[in-house]
Amino acid sequence: MVGRSSRVTIHDVAKAAGVSVSTVSKALNDTGRMTAETRDKIKSIATGVGFRPNALARSLLFNRSFTVGLLTNDTYGRFTLPLMSGISEALVDQGVSVFLCAIEDDPKLAKIHVDAMLDKQVDGIIATGKRIDRSLPVDLAGLPVPVVYAYSQGTEGSVILTADDAQGAQLAISRLRSTGRRRLVHITGPESFASALERANAFQRTVGPDAKVLFGEWTEAWGHQSIAALFDAEGERPDGIFCGNDQIARGVVDALRERGLRVPEDVAVVGFDNWEIVAAQTRPALTTIDMNLKELGRIAGLTILDLAEGRPVAPGLRKLPCSLVVRQSCGSSDQGN
Amino acid sequence: MVGRSSRVTIHDVAKAAGVSVSTVSKALNDTGRMTAETRDKIKSIATGVGFRPNALARSLLFNRSFTVGLLTNDTYGRFTLPLMSGISEALVDQGVSVFLCAIEDDPKLAKIHVDAMLDKQVDGIIATGKRIDRSLPVDLAGLPVPVVYAYSQGTEGSVILTADDAQGAQLAISRLRSTGRRRLVHITGPESFASALERANAFQRTVGPDAKVLFGEWTEAWGHQSIAALFDAEGERPDGIFCGNDQIARGVVDALRERGLRVPEDVAVVGFDNWEIVAAQTRPALTTIDMNLKELGRIAGLTILDLAEGRPVAPGLRKLPCSLVVRQSCGSSDQGN
DNA sequence: TCAATAAGAGAAAACGTTTTCTCAGCCGAA
DNA sequence: TTCGGCTGAGAAAACGTTTTCTCTTATTGA
């Protein structure tokens, strides 16, 4: 059995206007030849009966669905939502909609979703994850549609978009230095995370070879622990701490406060991620690095569009700059002078 | 100019098999009459050449796109993502995909997205927001497709799904009581939020007419402040606190600890929302109420499917039960005995 | 052996568009 | 008057499916 639409079609418009469907189509698309009079009459009739062209029919004809898929295994949406927001913003005025597919590290589920998207003729797929150094549990190479990796590992020769961790680290360091801090320490997550490593390397390159880096976990608890370790030990104590993420930074700030140290007067702290919910609720609120994921999403959207429309895009890894978000945990930049 | 597909179509299969497209269609769909031999041969050829039917063409024919739209103004994704996850889970094995549209309280943007979804012939729309007592900035009544409201205000006669705030409150209260607490206080967000009010009313109904309720903000800072107010004042001090959300609860727990009060030994605390990132990082980790948004999403998905397929669904407000998530902030339930 | 029935498979229409092709009418020029 | 060119508009094909209808061939029963 075949469904029947109750929506108004171009045939209804044609009937109402007393012309053929071809004339209606040409009138509405400002193509073909006809008197301005005819065109205007048809247009007004079309809006009068509330005609909106069926995108499915167009898609079938143009082999272009004006739809892209966003594949993610980031259940929390820590990265996905800002990204999604940027993608959507870049594409909405092109009339492109976004399928969001949450695959929970499940290869089977991933395949189902990818197949469904392909069946629905998406113009492209954006793959994203929660780690820059892991790929989704599904092979996206050799698909009949373009793929862009955003904040996820990608295959050889593909387009990969990511935040510039090293530049972000440098931003944090120069902020700390501009407030007069000289004894800097970096407290971050596991060494096994590429972004932790990248930031740590940038930290050591910039601060000096024996600059102290503490690898641990991405948790508040680790922030607490590392402060205990740093301040219970003998020797020089840091006056500026760059944290690998905002949760660690929160733990650090809380631990410092509990020890009677003032933030930012005694120790300045800079976080990473600008996760509002953490950064803004910390007292004092965190100065932190924002990866501009929304902008990353916007560029991912534009890129997939370029690829879908056959415009050339240079493959390879593209690092987008981070920016500094100033709150209170690092003082004002003239404070040190 | 009309696009040309490079994908393999049913015509290619027909050519490869030396039969007509109708026969191929019937073979693959297990309809029509033909020898089992023919059917099997066609099926194996189809998989051999990697044929996958174009969902657009089917949709056009059946007037059914196997696509639903999720409209949200919850930018943070505090509610949207669990909901999305549930919806997706409920629909994925029906072959239904989800368009996620983030509209930032912008009526124009909302209209654009809704129009785009209608043009793409979505089978239904699920509307969700960040408050149960606010509706999205777009009128979804009278659309040619079914609409389900999930965690959002809906129009008269529509299907509205929400969490049972009163039942959630009762869950928290009975937990506090079962650990032996008798002097209960409720600290929550602004009175202007329907869910704050609903929980507060349930609290007072259950605990007693002069049970203390403190309305404020949904922030940690408010949690701190209210503890200061409660414990600096004369008179009876609470030994059990039910908080309106996890952020308040975190503020409360931190403030109690700073005062030298032990949680849960001296004061037991129950939160609301089960927002992992807050609840799990609090020390002690929060016992809290989970609104089961994923389940809510699952039901929303199934409901929109029912409506899309013409099955009857009773309109009106449907409240789904919350559940208790036990961590450490409320002790164990036999502790009070 | 013949007719009635069933089986197997193809042709064509339909879904709602857009575009190319065709055609009728009209005007001006030779 | 006749022919070439232009203008306005419709017919038809195409996109990739599914389904109904029709037709040919084979099988069965008398």
Side-chain angles (χ1 to χ4, degrees), chain A residues 76 97 120 220 250 276, chain B residues 76 97 120 220 250 276:
Chain A
Y76 263 128
S97 309
K120 291 186 175 122
E220 283 188 37
R250 165 139 203 192
E276 282 278 332
Chain B
Y76 262 128
S97 309
K120 290 186 176 121
E220 282 187 40
R250 163 138 205 193
E276 283 278 330

Side-chain angles (χ1 to χ4, degrees), chain B residues 217-232:
Chain B
E217 290 166 22
W218 297 117
T219 60
E220 282 187 40
W222 166 236
H224 271 98
Q225 280 171 45
S226 52
I227 288 304
L230 279 171
F231 285 80
D232 288 344

Side-chain angles (χ1 to χ4, degrees), chain A residues 108-299:
Chain A
K108 261 195 159 145
L109 192 59
K111 177 145 176 47
I112 292 178
H113 271 123
V114 169
D115 282 347
M117 296 196 296
L118 291 178
D119 289 351
K120 291 186 175 122
Q121 313 289 117
V122 290
D123 298 332
I125 294 179
I126 300 175
T128 182
K130 40 191 176 213
R131 286 182 65 167
I132 201 75
D133 51 356
R134 289 286 181 277
S135 49
L136 297 180
V138 59
D139 185 16
L140 263 26
L143 252 41
V145 298
V147 175
V148 167
Y149 298 86
Y151 211 83
S152 162
Q153 199 172 62
T155 57
E156 197 64 34
S158 58
V159 179
I160 309 170
L161 265 30
T162 180
D164 191 337
D165 283 300
Q167 176 263 354
Q170 268 151 8
L171 228 45
I173 295 161
S174 45
R175 172 69 186 185
L176 285 165
R177 282 185 166 162
S178 78
T179 64
R181 313 302 162 147
R182 292 295 170 264
R183 302 184 305 281
L184 305 186
V185 170
H186 181 41
I187 305 175
T188 188
E191 205 165 351
S192 61
F193 276 67
S195 41
L197 208 55
E198 184 119 355
R199 292 169 203 165
N201 286 341
F203 181 78
Q204 288 191 312
R205 263 200 317 278
T206 312
V207 175
D210 43 41
K212 193 180 267 179
V213 173
L214 275 62
F215 290 101
E217 291 165 22
W218 297 116
T219 60
E220 283 188 37
W222 166 236
H224 270 97
Q225 281 172 44
S226 52
I227 288 303
L230 280 171
F231 284 81
D232 287 345
E234 300 287 310
E236 195 182 64
R237 279 156 189 185
D239 61 355
I241 302 181
F242 167 39
C243 299
N245 77 355
D246 287 345
Q247 288 177 264
I248 293 175
R250 165 139 203 192
V252 163
V253 168
D254 285 353
L256 290 169
R257 184 168 5 89
E258 283 165 22
R259 294 186 157 251
L261 291 161
R262 294 166 306 161
V263 175
E265 293 82 355
D266 299 325
V267 183
V269 176
V270 176
F272 207 106
D273 280 354
N274 191 29
W275 198 359
E276 282 278 332
I277 184 63
V278 178
Q281 299 261 339
T282 303
R283 293 298 146 200
L286 292 176
T287 289
T288 184
I289 303 299
D290 191 313
M291 290 194 286
N292 294 319
L293 290 170
K294 185 166 177 180
E295 173 65 10
L296 203 152
R298 224 180 52 78
I299 294 185

Side-chain angles (χ1 to χ4, degrees), chain A residues 2 5 7 52 55 61 66 76 81 84 95 97-98 100 115 118-120 220 247 250 276-277 281, chain B residues 2 7 52 55 61 63 66 76 81 84 95 97-98 100 115 118-120 220 247 250 276-277 281:
Chain A
V2 170
S5 171
R7 313 263 257 264
R52 312 216 71 208
L61 200 54
F66 291 92
Y76 263 128
L81 273 164
M84 169 75 201
S97 309
V98 183
L100 179 57
D115 282 347
L118 291 178
D119 289 351
K120 291 186 175 122
E220 283 188 37
Q247 288 177 264
R250 165 139 203 192
E276 282 278 332
I277 184 63
Q281 299 261 339
Chain B
V2 170
R7 313 263 257 263
R52 310 217 71 206
L61 200 55
N63 203 38
F66 292 90
Y76 262 128
L81 273 165
M84 170 74 202
S97 309
V98 183
L100 178 57
D115 282 347
L118 291 178
D119 289 351
K120 290 186 176 121
E220 282 187 40
Q247 289 177 263
R250 163 138 205 193
E276 283 278 330
I277 183 63
Q281 299 262 337

Side-chain angles (χ1 to χ4, degrees), chain A residues 82-94 96-98 297-298 301, chain B residues 100-103 109 113:
Chain A
L83 210 72
M84 169 75 201
S85 166
I87 295 170
S88 185
E89 188 180 294
L91 300 182
V92 68
D93 37 81
Q94 319 277 338
V96 176
S97 309
V98 183
R298 224 180 52 78
Chain B
L100 178 57
C101 301
I103 59 171
L109 193 59
H113 271 123

